[in-house]
Structures are given as structure tokens and as C-alpha cells.
Amino acid sequence: MRRTAPSAPPRAAAPGLSSAGEAEGGGMRTEFAFRLPRGYVDDAGTVHRDGVMRLATARDELVPLRDDRVRENSAYLSVVLISRVVTRIGTVDDIHPGVIEDLFASDLAFLQDFYRRINAEGHTRAAVTCPSCQEEFAVDLAGGRLGES
């Protein structure tokens, strides 16, 4: 299945985003930028870390259930599902299950959690507590630069 890059550049991750997933101006946000912890290494050895995931549709969650690989091994469901909603990783815009299979395990786990956050919770922020001072604050999992919130 051929995926194409989004026609508009992805919006910045957290600024102006409400807990319901609305963008500034009241429109619904459907694409979320992310940064992989390790990155996808292509055949040429290039590491791709920045990507875009779109919100899932009901079809995205139903179609993989008809996939023979998923029927044989239910753990493969997340690989097929993630490959349907990730539209780009670095300069790679042909995202298919083979690309997702080649991710490091930590990157797949990151994308699974990211999928859950944007589709179930509507945002990419997580509440955390500082282990030293116990202060609570929110961090954006979409992969902004260090020091940004």
C-alpha cells in the first residue's frame, strides 16, 4: 500500500492544543508529529527519526483483522495498524508493515503508546512527576527539543 506525504507540513506538536485534540482556531487536529527514540535505519544506513502519525479511522482498526499475518499471529496487529496511520518517517513516505517490522523495539513501543495517546486521549501530553522535587508537570511526547514543554 502506497502512502503519500501530507500535502501541508505537520503542525507543531503541543502549543495551542487542548486536551480534546483541537488545534488553535477551533479546528480538529488530525496529524501529530513525533520523534522516534532511536530512529528507523533505511537500506542506505540513513537514520530517520522525525515523523507524522494521523488519527486512526474505524477502517484502520478493522482492515488489519482480515490480514492473514494477523490471523496467524495476533501480535502482528499493532505492526499492520501502525503502518496504516504513520504517514512519514524522515524522508520515507512509503510506510508499510515491512518498515514498521524493521524499527527497533523501543521505537515500536513508542509508536504504540503514541497511537494510544492521540486516538484515545486526544493529545500527546503526559503528566509526570520530578523524582527529585516531586513537582508535577506535563511533557509533550511528540518529541520537541530538549527544554521545551
Side-chain angles (χ1 to χ4, degrees), residues 45-61:
T46 304
V47 179
H48 305 270
R49 292 185 65 203
D50 296 318
V52 176
M53 181 183 289
R54 65 173 175 77
L55 288 176
T57 63
R59 179 179 308 246
D60 291 321
E61 294 200 348

Side-chain angles (χ1 to χ4, degrees), residues 23-115:
E24 288 182 31
M28 183 174 177
R29 184 170 171 198
T30 61
E31 291 186 335
F32 297 82
F34 62 81
R35 173 166 278 206
L36 295 172
R38 296 194 185 272
Y40 169 69
V41 182
D42 66 18
D43 292 336
T46 304
V47 179
H48 305 270
R49 292 185 65 203
D50 296 318
V52 176
M53 181 183 289
R54 65 173 175 77
L55 288 176
T57 63
R59 179 179 308 246
D60 291 321
E61 294 200 348
L62 294 171
V63 167
L65 299 175
R66 295 191 307 245
D67 190 300
D68 288 336
R69 296 167 294 188
V70 173
R71 287 183 182 160
E72 292 174 19
N73 180 359
S74 61
Y76 202 74
L77 174 64
S78 67
V79 170
V80 176
L81 182 57
I82 296 296
S83 73
R84 291 183 60 86
V85 297
V86 170
T87 59
R88 179 180 60 77
I89 301 174
T91 59
V92 180
D93 60 4
D94 181 16
I95 307 299
H96 51 81
V99 170
I100 304 303
E101 286 176 346
D102 287 341
L103 290 173
F104 294 105
S106 59
D107 289 333
L108 177 58
F110 171 86
L111 289 175
Q112 291 168 328
D113 185 58
F114 194 71
Y115 175 91

Side-chain angles (χ1 to χ4, degrees), residues 11-32 55 117-125:
R11 298 179 198 154
L17 185 62
S18 75
S19 61
E22 293 178 0
E24 288 182 31
M28 183 174 177
R29 184 170 171 198
T30 61
E31 291 186 335
F32 297 82
L55 288 176
R117 287 187 181 280
I118 68 172
N119 285 286
E121 299 174 12
H123 60 84
T124 59
R125 291 183 311 277

